[in-house]
Amino acid sequence: MVDIANEIKQQVQERRPLTLAMILTNRWFLYGVSMLAFFLAWDMAAVARVFSSGLPRPYEVVLQLWRMMFDPLAGKSLLGHIWASTQRILIGFTIASLVAVPLGLMMALNRYVNAIVKPLFDLLKPMPPLAWISIAILWFGIGETSKVFIIIIGTFVPCLLDAYNGVRLVEPELYDVIRMLGGNRRHEIIQVCFPAAFPAIFAGLQIALSIAWSCVLAAELVSARSGLGFIIILGMNLSRPAMVVGGMVVIALVAWTMSQLVSGLERFVCPWKREIDSR
Amino acid sequence: MREERHPGQAKIECKDITKVFIQKGKQRVHVLDHISLDVKENEFVVILGPGQSGKSTLLRIIAGLETPTEGHVRIDGQEVEGPGPERGLVFQGYMLFAWKTVLGNVEMGPKLRGVPKKERREIAAHYIHLVGLDGFENHYPHQLSGGMKQRVGIARAYANNPQVMLLDEPFGQLDAQTRYFMEKETARIWETEKRTILFVTNNIDEAIYLADRIVTMEGKLPGRMHVVYRVDLPRPREHTDMAFLKLRHEITEASELTL
Amino acid sequence: MAYEQVKVKTPLILRLLPILSIITFFGTWQLVVDWEIVPSTMLASPIQIFQLFLVKWTEVNPDGALLSQHIWTSVQEAFTGYLLALLVGIPLGLAMGWFIVVEGLSRPIFEMIRPIPPVAWIPLVIFWFGIGISGKVFIIWIGGIVPCVINSYEGVRMTNPTLIQMARTYGATDWQIFKQICIPSALPMVFGALQIALACCWTNLVAAELLAADVGLGFLITMGRKLALPDMVLLGMIMIGLTGVVIGVVINYFEKRLLAGIRR
């Protein structure tokens, strides 16, 4: 046995006595104060009609959400609308990532593919995805296809770009390791390129997800009979701010949950990254 | 000594190696100039030189990762035409696969050569034990300290059962304490499983501590061989031994190395 | 065998392929429209778009404004939102990075608002501000402030702790450390935010003009859709892309100048 104890790092935590100043600068205490102040200010602003009738009181929003859970709106309950939006995102997102990630990897691995695709990609990249909404409606009408299309357009760019950069930024000496150990080009790709690009691909997926939300909402605002964007635009048309704010709250919750799910998936697929992040 | 090879034939044979790089498409950089070097079977040879003396390039040429502009490298009389598993390379920057555990890293060589799972697990376990990392099999590289990372690097190179080990400033990134410790470990590992070793460093003490033979390089490009020293000190060696210090003094005097 | 690993020049084919690729793209596009594979109500050819581009400098109809007016309005809105985002976001992010009280008080609110895409603010903003410029600026601001806060926060957080400890041993106050050490060391990240925030603002411009506008590039696109004029839609899209690139280049230039000025 060899002693390697002298190489293991130790973590020591300092304990401090509890004082009033400690409590006042405690992060969780401040978080609580902040939330409380936020909702109080919101309520007061609503009561004082700062935005005339444009701001509902927080409890009105909760009430509205409760009602929407059970009373169907345009034939769907709140959960139905959540699912409608989520479904669009999932379809568009899946199609985009299935095409964009392999294409990005191929661009990074093959100069010829890169030479053909890169210029086209650079040409289309500066166009904001939301700008595609109108052309999508001209092409596909106002049905599901145009919504999915916009999501594909919006998520394609970050998926492809991060897969591409992920492979590009691999330490080239790692390929030397594979070759020294007796591996060939195929081994280099399977053992080094793909795993090394995973974290970057996931970063791309996270960005893509938030863009997908923007896209689906914008598409639903323009024309839809279901979805969370439909709820908020309906609230606007009916002059019911509680419905609008309620819709926004649900959007925030669902978007946040989905991004947590992607992070969870990343931790599952890339266990080696676990502690790099938490540091 | 194996009998089928006729006596006196070197394990590694470098003949008149010259290397010229071309930078940014036009600038020519002359890195190595007519290097000839023979290493015998199971000999521990250290190439000692300051930074920018072309010693790492020489090692990469022997590894097959670079082609020499002139000259050739032979291993067991066979010309080197590319990287291959009969040579194990240990990198200065560890170059571990961050997405593999210690076990996954060490068994990579056998895996690439198609060794069945059970067998390669045994091989990996053996070398993990040899480098003293028992109990760390399922750790990821980022959970290890620098010295432990390089142990994995050494085990990974050993696991392919190479006839020649090439180490490129393996302890350059370690602190003095760990470095000293790892030198001892390297000597121990080499005594346990003898291999022909070519070790590149810029540290005189490390060179004298480990080497059977020290080849010093001149301190400027193009890299040329300077002096060859034979180290006949008994092992295990002591840094404070009189003979050790005398040799150290001699090497320092003879070269521009003031380390 | 001498120089094989040094590629002195790219093969001819690699230099030709990008050009070929672009030509094929535009050629196919043009032909698809010319041969009426796709009906003209759905797609306009590059040449038609270019013709409209030339005409729109002098012709107000059918959307009610010249191209220059559209561009100018959009740029104005985007920049107002952008500047406001910088003015609020950067100081907030810097303070959140250093003062625990600021972080504790603003973080939960920031984290609550962050997942809401700027698009989702449109209906509420119309309630609050009507359909004037202030509502659009607000949506652009919401989009731009997030990267400003995050980058400045991270910038301060990444300050070398040894520097802070050194300052403490010299007896510097919290405020002095913040001003003399944290802010300068966060600057590169803050400059990074300039570009990212601009891209966010410019993207959100389309969102802002989506529902309520009477002039602007986003409005041009929406109008083109309502009138079923694909050339107008595509012209609007291309102009947004192009203007975005131009602004990006300009900002990049200033960023380099500023950074060079700081390093000197």
Side-chain angles (χ1 to χ4, degrees):
Chain A
M1 259 322 278
V2 191
D3 172 41
I4 32 177
N6 65 333
E7 289 177 35
I8 297 172
K9 285 174 250 162
Q10 279 200 333
Q11 281 196 329
V12 183
Q13 259 208 329
E14 210 177 313
R15 279 195 155 270
R16 289 188 205 155
L18 200 68
T19 62
L20 185 66
M22 280 284 299
I23 297 172
L24 283 180
T25 54
N26 179 287
R27 194 158 281 165
W28 296 105
F29 172 77
L30 288 169
Y31 287 172
V33 170
S34 159
M35 300 287 280
L36 210 67
F38 175 74
F39 285 105
L40 267 178
W42 174 1
D43 198 48
M44 271 157 65
V47 171
R49 304 182 77 77
V50 175
F51 296 103
S52 68
S53 62
L55 187 68
R57 298 181 59 174
Y59 90 91
E60 288 173 337
V61 174
V62 177
L63 214 64
Q64 176 71 32
L65 283 176
W66 183 255
R67 225 178 290 140
M68 280 194 292
M69 283 290 278
F70 304 106
D71 300 343
L73 205 64
K76 277 194 171 79
S77 72
L78 183 58
L79 287 177
H81 286 292
I82 292 177
W83 175 238
S85 293
T86 313
Q87 198 184 15
R88 287 169 188 145
I89 287 182
L90 286 181
I91 296 172
F93 194 52
T94 312
I95 296 175
S97 50
L98 283 183
V99 179
V101 170
L103 190 63
L105 293 175
M106 264 170 45
M107 277 168 69
L109 292 174
N110 187 313
R111 308 190 277 160
Y112 295 97
V113 176
N114 191 33
I116 294 169
V117 181
K118 191 91 191 306
L120 292 180
F121 185 70
D122 284 338
L123 209 63
L124 297 177
K125 200 173 54 177
M127 282 204 280
L130 297 186
W132 288 82
I133 290 182
S134 293
I135 201 83
I137 290 174
L138 283 184
W139 287 352
F140 304 108
I142 55 170
E144 291 300 304
T145 324
S146 61
K147 297 185 183 67
V148 171
F149 175 77
I150 295 159
I151 296 170
I152 294 176
I153 290 280
T155 51
F156 201 85
V157 176
C159 284
L160 185 139
L161 215 57
D162 280 276
Y164 176 76
N165 286 332
V167 175
R168 278 280 149 119
L169 296 178
V170 173
E171 177 68 53
E173 273 199 305
L174 284 173
Y175 299 125
D176 292 347
V177 177
I178 290 288
R179 293 203 292 155
M180 281 314 294
L181 292 174
N184 52 31
R185 177 79 178 145
R186 193 172 58 87
H187 291 131
E188 284 178 17
I189 294 172
I190 294 173
Q191 300 291 350
V192 174
C193 277
F194 289 167
F198 263 138
I201 290 174
F202 270 101
L205 290 184
Q206 281 286 8
I207 298 170
L209 191 64
S210 81
I211 294 180
W213 270 104
S214 289
C215 290
V216 78
L217 289 175
E220 287 169 355
L221 287 183
V222 172
S223 65
R225 300 292 305 144
S226 64
L228 293 169
F230 168 71
I231 290 186
I232 58 176
I233 198 76
L234 188 71
M236 184 181 92
N237 290 337
L238 298 175
S239 285
R240 277 161 65 183
M243 201 186 229
V244 175
V245 177
M248 288 169 67
V249 170
V250 177
I251 290 166
L253 280 176
V254 181
W256 182 82
T257 312
M258 281 176 80
S259 106
Q260 290 301 309
L261 284 178
V262 173
S263 305
L265 185 70
E266 179 178 9
R267 276 198 295 277
F268 179 72
V269 178
C270 318
W272 70 87
K273 262 202 81 211
R274 211 170 273 168
E275 278 167 46
I276 301 177
D277 286 337
S278 65
R279 229 185 303 159
Chain B
M1 285 288 152
R2 287 190 211 153
E3 278 158 32
E4 66 269 22
R5 302 188 306 111
H6 66 86
Q9 190 192 357
K11 187 77 181 172
I12 309 175
E13 184 191 346
C14 303
K15 192 113 176 67
D16 275 335
I17 291 180
T18 297
K19 179 73 185 174
V20 180
F21 277 119
I22 297 185
Q23 268 180 359
K24 288 172 191 149
K26 35 187 146 175
Q27 217 178 347
R28 291 160 69 93
V29 186
H30 201 155
V31 184
L32 291 172
D33 190 34
H34 295 285
I35 306 276
S36 292
L37 173 69
D38 286 354
V39 182
K40 290 202 286 288
E41 173 128 37
N42 291 346
E43 192 181 17
F44 200 129
V45 172
V46 172
I47 302 175
L48 176 66
Q52 292 293 306
S53 58
K55 55 195 193 305
S56 288
T57 308
L58 177 61
L59 204 68
R60 285 177 66 83
I61 288 173
I62 296 169
L65 293 169
E66 307 273 0
T67 357
T69 312
E70 278 169 37
H72 60 253
V73 180
R74 291 206 178 104
I75 308 259
D76 280 338
Q78 281 267 323
E79 184 130 359
V80 165
E81 275 164 347
E86 80 282 356
R87 280 152 290 155
L89 181 58
V90 177
F91 293 78
Q92 183 179 7
Y94 317 137
M95 291 301 141
L96 302 181
F97 303 114
W99 46 90
K100 293 264 183 218
T101 57
V102 169
L103 183 67
N105 268 284
V106 175
E107 71 171 4
M108 183 57 91
K111 186 174 170 183
L112 294 182
R113 287 183 298 121
V115 177
K117 190 162 182 165
K118 190 163 164 285
E119 208 174 312
R120 68 175 189 248
R121 283 281 148 88
E122 278 166 18
I123 297 174
H126 172 74
Y127 287 105
I128 289 172
H129 174 73
L130 181 71
V131 299
L133 280 178
D134 304 81
F136 288 92
E137 287 86 350
N138 295 321
H139 283 57
Y140 284 100
H142 70 88
Q143 297 167 308
L144 305 177
S145 67
M148 289 156 86
K149 280 184 192 159
Q150 198 56 291
R151 286 166 193 269
V152 180
I154 293 171
R156 180 174 65 185
Y158 255 103
N160 242 354
N161 197 16
Q163 304 178 28
V164 174
M165 286 283 285
L166 308 166
L167 294 93
D168 184 8
E169 298 192 40
F171 310 135
Q173 293 188 1
L174 303 178
D175 59 274
Q177 194 74 67
T178 317
R179 185 174 190 147
Y180 170 69
F181 192 67
M182 287 299 291
E183 286 160 15
K184 259 165 73 177
E185 283 288 283
T186 310
R188 178 187 64 82
I189 293 167
W190 179 65
E191 305 260 347
T192 325
E193 299 218 6
K194 287 260 178 177
R195 293 286 191 283
T196 311
I197 293 192
L198 203 57
F199 188 109
V200 164
T201 185
N202 54 19
N203 185 311
I204 298 186
D205 292 305
E206 193 167 273
I208 303 173
Y209 186 83
L210 293 170
D212 289 331
R213 210 147 45 102
I214 298 174
V215 178
T216 53
M217 304 279 287
E218 284 181 10
K220 58 180 190 297
L221 293 181
R224 294 195 179 91
M225 273 167 61
H226 193 53
V227 193
V228 179
Y229 300 90
R230 180 158 289 285
V231 187
D232 283 326
L233 304 173
R235 293 171 191 270
R237 294 173 183 162
E238 274 301 326
H239 284 79
T240 46
D241 195 64
M242 268 321 282
F244 191 106
L245 292 173
K246 213 173 137 241
L247 185 60
R248 189 186 196 286
H249 184 71
E250 192 183 327
I251 298 175
T252 319
E253 286 290 289
S255 59
E256 297 107 86
L257 279 167
T258 39
L259 297 165
Chain C
M1 71 178 193
Y3 304 117
E4 57 201 352
Q5 72 272 58
V6 187
K7 291 281 180 301
V8 178
K9 55 181 174 184
T10 14
L12 189 63
I13 181 106
L14 276 179
R15 280 183 290 170
L16 280 180
L17 272 177
I19 302 165
L20 277 176
S21 157
I22 300 254
I23 291 174
T24 318
F25 175 73
F26 281 105
T28 321
W29 181 2
Q30 181 71 37
L31 288 180
V32 159
V33 178
D34 282 353
W35 294 346
E36 294 187 350
I37 299 170
V38 171
S40 59
T41 50
M42 284 170 72
L43 193 66
S45 70
I47 293 174
Q48 286 168 332
I49 296 169
F50 189 68
Q51 281 165 346
L52 183 71
F53 169 75
L54 295 179
V55 168
K56 275 305 288 176
W57 290 105
T58 50
E59 175 63 50
V60 176
N61 290 322
D63 46 284
L66 298 176
L67 188 58
S68 51
Q69 287 171 302
H70 287 305
I71 297 177
W72 178 235
T73 313
S74 290
V75 169
Q76 244 177 335
E77 288 165 359
F79 263 85
T80 317
Y82 177 55
L83 290 178
L84 286 176
L86 296 184
L87 275 177
V88 179
I90 292 176
L92 181 66
L94 292 173
M96 273 169 73
W98 181 240
F99 298 107
I100 197 157
V101 177
V102 179
E103 198 210 330
L105 290 180
S106 42
R107 181 120 190 208
I109 300 172
F110 182 70
E111 293 294 334
M112 270 194 301
I113 290 176
R114 189 153 78 113
I116 304 174
V119 184
W121 285 89
I122 293 175
L124 201 61
V125 162
I126 292 175
F127 277 139
W128 291 356
F129 301 106
I131 60 166
I133 190 166
S134 45
K136 289 177 209 119
V137 169
F138 180 82
I139 288 171
I140 293 166
W141 177 77
I142 282 273
I145 198 168
V146 174
C148 288
V149 172
I150 293 177
N151 268 38
S152 332
Y153 175 82
E154 289 289 327
V156 173
R157 276 302 160 110
M158 282 176 359
T159 308
N160 187 347
T162 321
L163 280 179
I164 297 175
Q165 282 157 9
M166 185 233 11
R168 282 211 200 286
T169 60
Y170 288 156
T173 61
D174 263 11
W175 177 249
Q176 280 172 323
I177 296 175
F178 179 59
K179 224 172 61 175
Q180 304 292 344
I181 293 173
C182 294
I183 294 184
S185 76
L187 274 183
M189 283 291 279
V190 172
F191 281 118
L194 294 185
Q195 280 278 1
I196 304 170
L198 184 79
C200 286
C201 286
W202 193 246
T203 307
N204 279 322
L205 173 81
V206 189
E209 292 180 348
L210 192 65
L211 281 191
D214 42 21
V215 63
L217 289 171
F219 167 75
L220 185 68
I221 297 177
T222 311
M223 208 54 202
R225 164 170 57 88
K226 286 186 177 152
L227 300 172
L229 295 172
D231 51 348
M232 213 154 102
V233 175
L234 287 165
L235 177 65
M237 288 169 64
I238 292 168
M239 287 319 291
I240 288 185
L242 217 60
T243 319
V245 170
V246 171
I247 298 175
V249 168
V250 172
I251 292 280
N252 199 12
Y253 172 76
F254 279 109
E255 190 186 323
K256 283 218 178 90
R257 288 286 297 270
L258 273 170
L259 272 178
I262 288 163
R263 293 214 179 98
R264 218 179 285 130

